[in-house]
Amino acid sequence: MVRQVMRKPTPKRLVALAVLAAAAVLVSSPTWAAEYVVIANGSAPGAAVSSTDLKAMFLGDKTTWSNGTAVKIVVLEDGAAHKAFLQEVLGKTPAQFDSYWKKLVFTGKAGAPKSFADPAALAAYVAKEPGAIGYVPAGTAAGSAKTMKVE
């Protein structure tokens, strides 16, 4: 018979465990927001969008801006910024996002979002298309599209 003896944790051990746990959380926490920037056409009202509205727009639930302009979402086809945006804003993987939109399209509830392989092309489209909103990798020149703060 094997008998295990549990040692009573000392205050030093508890502090060390807490520090290790905090370090593990910090190391494993994604830095998503550093990977993408939300951009919108100059017709979009304000300089910020709430995370709730942003999620609703990209899930097809919010279809107009507060000024009545139709929301036109545009997405990247792939890449770290695409994955980070979908995970952080929508809580979805790219496959889940694609599946979600396929259901909307096949049921006739919405048209598929316009997608771009090139972030610069996405930014150029957003800059010229009223109501457009998308995201680009951080550091991508947004042209005349405005950068939106996500609140």
Side-chain angles (χ1 to χ4, degrees):
M1 177 177 186
V2 177
R3 183 174 174 198
Q4 291 186 334
V5 177
M6 300 277 294
R7 285 197 250 169
K8 183 177 179 182
T10 64
K12 271 186 170 179
R13 276 192 171 181
L14 290 174
V15 169
L17 287 172
V19 169
L20 284 173
V25 168
L26 289 174
V27 169
S28 66
S29 295
T31 55
W32 303 116
E35 295 187 32
Y36 65 85
V37 175
V38 175
I39 59 172
N41 180 269
S43 65
V49 60
S50 73
S51 59
T52 303
D53 282 350
L54 190 60
K55 181 176 181 177
M57 289 174 184
F58 278 85
L59 292 179
D61 295 330
K62 182 172 175 61
T63 58
T64 58
W65 291 93
S66 62
N67 64 5
T69 305
V71 171
K72 297 175 185 168
I73 64 166
V74 291
V75 298
L76 291 170
E77 292 177 0
D78 199 6
H82 176 62
K83 292 174 185 168
F85 178 83
L86 296 180
Q87 184 64 50
E88 182 176 301
V89 175
L90 307 178
K92 295 187 180 297
T93 64
Q96 290 170 325
F97 180 74
D98 290 345
S99 176
Y100 179 87
W101 272 97
K102 282 179 184 174
K103 287 178 188 172
L104 290 180
V105 171
F106 290 139
T107 58
K109 293 181 180 174
K114 192 163 184 63
S115 63
F116 293 87
D118 179 21
L122 185 149
Y125 177 84
V126 168
K128 73 173 181 156
E129 191 66 30
I133 184 169
Y135 53 89
V136 291
T140 301
S144 60
K146 65 180 176 181
T147 300
M148 299 291 281
K149 181 179 177 185
V150 179
E151 298 177 329

